[in-house]
Amino acid sequence: MKGKVQNYNNRVLNIPGIIIGLLVSYIITLAFFIVYALILTYTPLSELTLPTLTMLITIIGIVLAGAIAARHTRSKGWLNGGLAGLLYVLIMLFLGTYIIKEAGLTSVIALKLLWGIILGAIGGMIGINL
């Protein structure tokens, strides 16, 4: 139809929303990591906090990706959020594998993927209700 704007609200999967959610969440995750690195560098904060805060920042990023992905859908927010969470973890694993040169599917990676789906779905349930 001429002159009609494309509406993604009626689609089950909101691909543009998932991509935007991933981009925004990665930008915010990167900002958190930069701030944390500056805090570690210029304060006496112990590096023992590294695993805990890394996990917390990653959880925030996954939930945020899911929430943004589901924000403009009418239904199936959990599906859009879960897919965004899965993609978030897959991209992180790919980057980690590329940088660290460690490959192979292990139970730890499978667990990370599962947590990515679950946390993304929770974010999607939150995002669809915003």
Side-chain angles (χ1 to χ4, degrees), residues 36-84:
Y36 181 58
L38 290 172
I39 290 171
L40 276 177
T41 302
Y42 296 110
T43 65
L45 185 66
S46 171
E47 291 179 3
L48 296 175
T49 61
L50 188 62
T52 303
L53 283 178
T54 300
M55 182 62 70
L56 182 63
I57 292 169
T58 304
I59 288 170
I60 291 169
I62 294 170
V63 172
L64 183 63
I68 293 171
R71 178 74 175 97
H72 296 290
T73 58
R74 291 182 189 216
S75 64
K76 306 270 193 269
W78 63 271
L79 180 63
N80 286 281
L83 183 58

Side-chain angles (χ1 to χ4, degrees), residues 12 19 35-36 47 66 70 76 79 84 92 94 101 105 107 116 127:
V12 173
I19 293 169
V35 168
Y36 181 58
E47 291 179 3
K76 306 270 193 269
L79 180 63
M92 285 288 250
F94 175 75
K101 307 285 189 228
L105 183 63
S107 60

